[in-house]
Amino acid sequence: MGWAADWIEQTKLWVRGAEGGKPDEQQRPLAQRLDATLRRGQEALSPRELRRLLQDMEQVADAALSDVEGGRNAQALMEWYAAADAVAHKDFWLLTIERFGPDAKALQAARERYDKAGSDAERSEAEMALRRALLSSRTRLLQRFAQPQGGLEFLINMRAQLLALPKLEQQRYVALDAELEHLFSSWFDVALLELRSINWDSPASLLEKLIQYEAVHDIRSWSDLKNRLDSDRRCYGFFHPRMPKVPLIFVEVALLDKMAGSMAPLLDESAAAADLSKANTAIFYSISNTQTGLKGVSFGDSLIKHVVETLTQEFPKLKHFATLSPIPGLRSWLLKHGDAALAELDDKEKAALEKSAGGTTAAQLLAALEDPGSLGEKSVLRQTALYCAARYLGRETAKSRPLDAVARFHLGNGARVERLNWAADLSSKGLKQSMGLMVNYLYDLKRLDKHRSLLAQGKIPVSSEIESLCKG
């Protein structure tokens, strides 16, 4: 398994290479390079090396071989890949796309047969033929890479490379990206995942993964992590049986006697643990995906459902389930669209804002909000910022979906926008994203379907408090 260490070291180089800008417009088509004798320009592999790589890939995808033997051949290629540079990786991707795709003629014939089918029986047979035509040796090639130990991580990290490319360059490899996402959707189906509790007694290597992958509130030290795994906390992760040492996604939970309104008490290492006998509220304050290469594979909603079931079994007194969530898109939305929202204030409100902020534009409001923790409850700046945040979360949509990424996740799972919390995250990240504002999304277990139905109609489910703030 010496290749695995090389793989980890190469990851930085891959990402660096993926940032390399536009693809070389002078590069010859792959077919020409395979037939050529000499390397040209910036081509990573010589024609001879390219042909050898293609032969090695064909040995992996050979239908005459068993999956076990094909997997052994795949491991040798994984070792080559770990030692190759980012430009050579792109040759590998292009070979995968252009040389292992579906048979175009067979696919066209199957499509024509399906289009001409007259009866239900003919249509069913034509559909099966079309499905078979769509299957390609590319699928078998990628499946064989999943056979050896470390193979799933290999494919996940390879897709992470693809996704790190500039958007324009990604288009060149979209067929490979789509095939990997399709395979991952099957391989990482929630039915195949295991929900595991993570606590201070878990292996140190696993605890290190929490520190490494925490994406919402950085874990600053081991004592910080220990506080997050104290008796009044819970942490759960989804694990795949082929990747038992790394959670694919994990959630951190605080058990309290009321809805949390600030991160500071939750991260206070000197605070006493809450009395679990009085706990009636579970607060999900951090949800982190660990694998960029699994983008588009959804299991976060199932994670919350499974965690709620697990918590209610352990703590029957729990009645409320909510988040304490960041609002990552608020500041950028205010800069682009805040002026329009502020224009809807009445004359009295505009006059008060101009007096407090020196003007009525979003830029002037943001400039005046440098120290949100110092603003009292009746502050005009505070009330105006709350109005804008409520509008952003409770009204603004794109294609009938909430603008904010975190809101899309929780509202899509049936939650509602419950409460805005002032000066809830005064970290540099919290101030930069949302002027310190955070939001509670409430999971009312009896109304999840109702909230999903409202969202499907383009209506964002909100509490009466948020509705009132939206009106200014």
Side-chain angles (χ1 to χ4, degrees), residues 11 61 72 93 156 181 237 337 352 374:
T11 299
R72 280 197 291 266
W93 302 344
I156 290 171
E181 182 177 349
H337 307 288
S374 67

PDB file of all heavy atoms in Angstrom, residues 11 61 72 93 156 181 237 337 352 374:
ATOM      1  N   THR A  11      -1.990  14.956  -3.585  1.00  0.00           N
ATOM      2  CA  THR A  11      -3.262  15.688  -3.614  1.00  0.00           C
ATOM      3  C   THR A  11      -3.040  17.193  -3.756  1.00  0.00           C
ATOM      4  O   THR A  11      -3.723  17.871  -4.526  1.00  0.00           O
ATOM      5  CB  THR A  11      -4.065  15.403  -2.332  1.00  0.00           C
ATOM      6  OG1 THR A  11      -4.332  14.004  -2.268  1.00  0.00           O
ATOM      7  CG2 THR A  11      -5.395  16.163  -2.353  1.00  0.00           C
ATOM      8  N   ALA A  61     -10.471  -3.032 -17.827  1.00  0.00           N
ATOM      9  CA  ALA A  61     -11.879  -3.084 -18.247  1.00  0.00           C
ATOM     10  C   ALA A  61     -12.236  -4.349 -19.020  1.00  0.00           C
ATOM     11  O   ALA A  61     -13.406  -4.533 -19.389  1.00  0.00           O
ATOM     12  CB  ALA A  61     -12.198  -1.864 -19.112  1.00  0.00           C
ATOM     13  N   ARG A  72      -6.984  -6.213  -9.572  1.00  0.00           N
ATOM     14  CA  ARG A  72      -5.522  -6.227  -9.399  1.00  0.00           C
ATOM     15  C   ARG A  72      -4.853  -5.348 -10.447  1.00  0.00           C
ATOM     16  O   ARG A  72      -3.906  -4.612 -10.151  1.00  0.00           O
ATOM     17  CB  ARG A  72      -5.007  -7.667  -9.490  1.00  0.00           C
ATOM     18  CG  ARG A  72      -5.184  -8.465  -8.200  1.00  0.00           C
ATOM     19  CD  ARG A  72      -4.304  -9.696  -8.206  1.00  0.00           C
ATOM     20  NE  ARG A  72      -4.759 -10.670  -9.195  1.00  0.00           N
ATOM     21  CZ  ARG A  72      -5.570 -11.686  -8.931  1.00  0.00           C
ATOM     22  NH1 ARG A  72      -6.036 -11.856  -7.695  1.00  0.00           N
ATOM     23  NH2 ARG A  72      -5.921 -12.537  -9.881  1.00  0.00           N
ATOM     24  N   TRP A  93      -8.001  10.857 -17.901  1.00  0.00           N
ATOM     25  CA  TRP A  93      -9.432  11.180 -17.962  1.00  0.00           C
ATOM     26  C   TRP A  93      -9.941  11.149 -19.403  1.00  0.00           C
ATOM     27  O   TRP A  93     -11.024  10.619 -19.665  1.00  0.00           O
ATOM     28  CB  TRP A  93      -9.694  12.563 -17.360  1.00  0.00           C
ATOM     29  CG  TRP A  93      -9.247  12.726 -15.948  1.00  0.00           C
ATOM     30  CD1 TRP A  93      -8.930  11.741 -15.056  1.00  0.00           C
ATOM     31  CD2 TRP A  93      -9.043  13.964 -15.255  1.00  0.00           C
ATOM     32  NE1 TRP A  93      -8.545  12.280 -13.852  1.00  0.00           N
ATOM     33  CE2 TRP A  93      -8.608  13.645 -13.947  1.00  0.00           C
ATOM     34  CE3 TRP A  93      -9.173  15.292 -15.611  1.00  0.00           C
ATOM     35  CZ2 TRP A  93      -8.315  14.628 -12.992  1.00  0.00           C
ATOM     36  CZ3 TRP A  93      -8.887  16.272 -14.672  1.00  0.00           C
ATOM     37  CH2 TRP A  93      -8.470  15.938 -13.372  1.00  0.00           C
ATOM     38  N   ILE A 156     -13.114   8.841  -5.485  1.00  0.00           N
ATOM     39  CA  ILE A 156     -13.664  10.060  -4.876  1.00  0.00           C
ATOM     40  C   ILE A 156     -12.683  11.215  -5.028  1.00  0.00           C
ATOM     41  O   ILE A 156     -13.057  12.337  -5.400  1.00  0.00           O
ATOM     42  CB  ILE A 156     -13.983   9.813  -3.386  1.00  0.00           C
ATOM     43  CG1 ILE A 156     -15.187   8.876  -3.248  1.00  0.00           C
ATOM     44  CG2 ILE A 156     -14.270  11.128  -2.668  1.00  0.00           C
ATOM     45  CD1 ILE A 156     -15.425   8.410  -1.829  1.00  0.00           C
ATOM     46  N   GLU A 181     -20.553  10.423 -10.617  1.00  0.00           N
ATOM     47  CA  GLU A 181     -21.657  10.809  -9.729  1.00  0.00           C
ATOM     48  C   GLU A 181     -22.752   9.750  -9.739  1.00  0.00           C
ATOM     49  O   GLU A 181     -23.328   9.421  -8.690  1.00  0.00           O
ATOM     50  CB  GLU A 181     -22.236  12.163 -10.148  1.00  0.00           C
ATOM     51  CG  GLU A 181     -23.345  12.643  -9.227  1.00  0.00           C
ATOM     52  CD  GLU A 181     -23.876  14.017  -9.589  1.00  0.00           C
ATOM     53  OE1 GLU A 181     -23.263  14.702 -10.431  1.00  0.00           O
ATOM     54  OE2 GLU A 181     -24.913  14.411  -9.018  1.00  0.00           O
ATOM     55  N   GLY A 237     -22.010  10.330  12.744  1.00  0.00           N
ATOM     56  CA  GLY A 237     -21.525  10.363  11.375  1.00  0.00           C
ATOM     57  C   GLY A 237     -22.039   9.181  10.582  1.00  0.00           C
ATOM     58  O   GLY A 237     -22.345   8.114  11.141  1.00  0.00           O
ATOM     59  N   HIS A 337     -28.167  43.202  -3.894  1.00  0.00           N
ATOM     60  CA  HIS A 337     -29.620  43.436  -3.974  1.00  0.00           C
ATOM     61  C   HIS A 337     -30.191  44.188  -2.775  1.00  0.00           C
ATOM     62  O   HIS A 337     -31.400  44.409  -2.709  1.00  0.00           O
ATOM     63  CB  HIS A 337     -30.352  42.089  -4.104  1.00  0.00           C
ATOM     64  CG  HIS A 337     -29.847  41.240  -5.227  1.00  0.00           C
ATOM     65  ND1 HIS A 337     -30.084  41.533  -6.552  1.00  0.00           N
ATOM     66  CD2 HIS A 337     -29.097  40.101  -5.219  1.00  0.00           C
ATOM     67  CE1 HIS A 337     -29.515  40.602  -7.311  1.00  0.00           C
ATOM     68  NE2 HIS A 337     -28.910  39.732  -6.536  1.00  0.00           N
ATOM     69  N   ALA A 352     -34.600  57.436   9.558  1.00  0.00           N
ATOM     70  CA  ALA A 352     -33.873  56.922  10.723  1.00  0.00           C
ATOM     71  C   ALA A 352     -32.594  56.209  10.293  1.00  0.00           C
ATOM     72  O   ALA A 352     -31.541  56.341  10.944  1.00  0.00           O
ATOM     73  CB  ALA A 352     -34.769  55.971  11.506  1.00  0.00           C
ATOM     74  N   SER A 374     -22.128  45.699  19.767  1.00  0.00           N
ATOM     75  CA  SER A 374     -22.340  46.906  20.581  1.00  0.00           C
ATOM     76  C   SER A 374     -23.722  47.518  20.375  1.00  0.00           C
ATOM     77  O   SER A 374     -24.074  48.482  21.067  1.00  0.00           O
ATOM     78  CB  SER A 374     -21.278  47.952  20.242  1.00  0.00           C
ATOM     79  OG  SER A 374     -21.443  48.425  18.906  1.00  0.00           O
TER      80      SER A 374
END
